[in-house]
Amino acid sequence: MTTYQGIAGIAGTAALTLALGLAPGAPASAAPVAPTAPALGWSSCGPVGLGQECATLRVPLDYAEPGGAQVDLAVSRIKATGPGARRGTLLVVAGGPGSSGVQRLSAKGAALKEQLGGAYDLVTFDPRGVGGSVKAHCGLDAADRHLVTLRGWPAADGSIDENVERSRRVAEACARNGGAVLRSLTTANEVRDMDRLRQALGERRISAWANSYGTYVTAQYAQKFPRRTDRIVLDSSADPNPATVAQGWLRDMARGADDRFPDFAAWAAHPDRDLGRDPDRDLPGGGGLRLADRPEDVRPLVLDLAARLDRAPKPSTTPGVPLTGNLLRQALQSALYSDAAFADFARLVKQAADPDAVPVLPPMLAGPMPDEDATVTVGVVCNDVRWRGEVPTFRRTVAADRAAHPLTAGMPVNITPCSFWKDAWKDAGQDSPVERPTRLTSDGPSNILMIQGLRDPSTPHSSALKMREALGSRARMVSVDRGGHGMYLSNGNACGDRTVTRFLLTGERPAADVTCR
């Protein structure tokens, strides 16, 4: 989405361009050369027995001034332990924006190590603003840091007036308090930081397994540094259109929820959901969680319940945070990411419908996010590209989307702080943090394997096809006949896992795009 501006002051000869790892014809900046990343000092961390180590990587706050202020990024690794030759470094790139790579490696490291036979050094990092890395702060009010308010759900009657005021307020607070660190939260800088990590590891080329938003970051890295990539896996990708980027990703959630909901409906209507009433049976997800006799009855039940909660929110076990219709809709959207979350959402529906029950809210919805988490959630998507649309346009679009996609009730197309971002920074006397987007192309080595679920609630399959089209002959795509967000070693199936593992170990990909059923 953004143009790399911090490589070197080089008169772009073909030989020097290729030596830098840039795609042929990519512009070389006149900015000073960034110093080589220093070696990393590792120490033990993470789960006992996993062999995980952590270190700190120093990177320029502003790559246009590589010798200026530096900031710290948390990095982590699990070293190769396989009986054969070490294959290289596999970078685990988390999604979000706002997800921790270090936490993802802690959660997935054992399975990944087993799957790959310990052939790779597994390495990751926390992007700027996340986890153990440098933080940015907008100083947002607690009411503006709830997921259900950051996501911009319209009012019960469809009004977006409150969303408009909140979006303007958040943008102004971030411009007033965020400073240089917040301005540095961009995809372009994450790409630059990835290459600094590659240098610090002493690797000529790196492989990567990227998830969700991380697929866009990694695809951008492969676009800018094609000859510094080895084997690239993009797991659950979105449309990389540089004109819309995150605004388009959010919009796609309406289609994604519609694609995915039938999986939950089938689960919630299955007779097995009632088996938990028998104390002699131990069935995960049981406990009398059946919501309807037929799958086709689950959707109207959930929509009717949300509408009733719009009119009369129900007190929950969290003081001061009632269960509203929008909170129920957000809980559903989050639950659609994994079958493992279906039981908790069904339980919430049961509690909401029972006059004598007090709903227990999911932890992520029960209170406000920490300010630094809310800041990075809005920072990257607003910094990367200026969002399109004026307030009257958003009103019309939300009304139409609520009718077409009632499960998401207009949230995916609603106004966000990004609509006021650039002007708020200008009013605060700050330079605009928006960088120019970069378009992904088919230029570069054919070393990318995409894996995508057919029913993804966040990055729908139709959106991933846009990434596939942009990469052209560089990629192959494995479509998995499963639902959820994240396929490899997660919501997918043995066929998909086997295809990815084979590629990472041998470099072998399918000759053409395939579907795992």
Side-chain angles (χ1 to χ4, degrees), residues 137-338:
H137 296 271
C138 285
L140 302 180
D141 294 340
D144 294 337
R145 290 189 270 113
H146 288 262
L147 181 58
V148 76
T149 54
L150 279 174
R151 278 284 174 90
W153 292 89
D157 63 358
S159 168
I160 68 168
D161 291 346
E162 185 176 350
N163 303 122
V164 172
E165 291 307 310
R166 179 180 291 111
S167 295
R168 183 181 288 112
R169 182 167 65 245
V170 169
E172 290 172 351
C174 289
R176 185 170 58 248
N177 303 319
V181 174
L182 179 55
R183 288 199 303 274
S184 80
L185 303 184
T186 65
T187 297
N189 275 338
E190 187 166 342
V191 168
R192 297 163 181 150
D193 293 343
M194 283 174 62
D195 204 55
R196 289 276 291 188
L197 178 56
R198 178 196 60 80
Q199 294 175 37
L201 294 168
E203 296 283 13
R204 185 173 64 88
R205 297 189 300 168
I206 53 173
S207 297
W209 169 38
N211 178 260
S212 193
Y213 164 70
T215 65
Y216 183 76
V217 175
T218 304
Q220 287 285 319
Y221 185 88
Q223 181 74 24
K224 295 179 172 65
F225 304 114
R227 288 158 186 81
R228 296 178 185 172
T229 61
D230 189 4
R231 297 169 185 173
I232 303 297
V233 175
L234 305 182
D235 186 341
S236 303
S237 304
D239 184 353
N241 182 353
T244 55
V245 196
Q247 187 173 12
W249 303 341
L250 187 61
R251 181 181 62 227
D252 283 346
M253 286 184 175
R255 178 192 290 268
D258 289 343
D259 290 347
R260 172 64 163 151
F261 189 83
D263 289 340
F264 172 72
W267 182 96
H270 197 284
D272 283 354
R273 301 290 81 81
D274 280 332
L275 289 178
R277 293 174 179 167
D278 182 350
D280 296 326
R281 298 291 297 273
D282 181 15
L283 181 71
L289 297 180
R290 192 179 187 191
L291 300 183
D293 292 334
R294 303 181 305 166
E296 57 265 35
D297 294 331
V298 176
R299 180 183 169 107
L301 181 152
V302 171
L303 290 176
D304 177 69
L305 179 59
R308 284 191 281 137
L309 291 169
D310 283 337
R311 296 187 294 269
K314 187 172 185 179
S316 75
T317 56
T318 304
V321 185
L323 178 59
T324 64
N326 280 337
L327 202 151
L328 184 74
R329 295 182 186 100
Q330 180 59 63
L332 168 63
Q333 203 276 330
S334 300
L336 295 178
Y337 275 52
S338 172

Side-chain angles (χ1 to χ4, degrees), residues 17 34 42 60 189 235 299 357 374 404 415 469 488 510:
T17 299
W42 299 99
N189 275 338
D235 186 341
R299 180 183 169 107
I415 199 165
E469 180 181 7
Y488 184 53

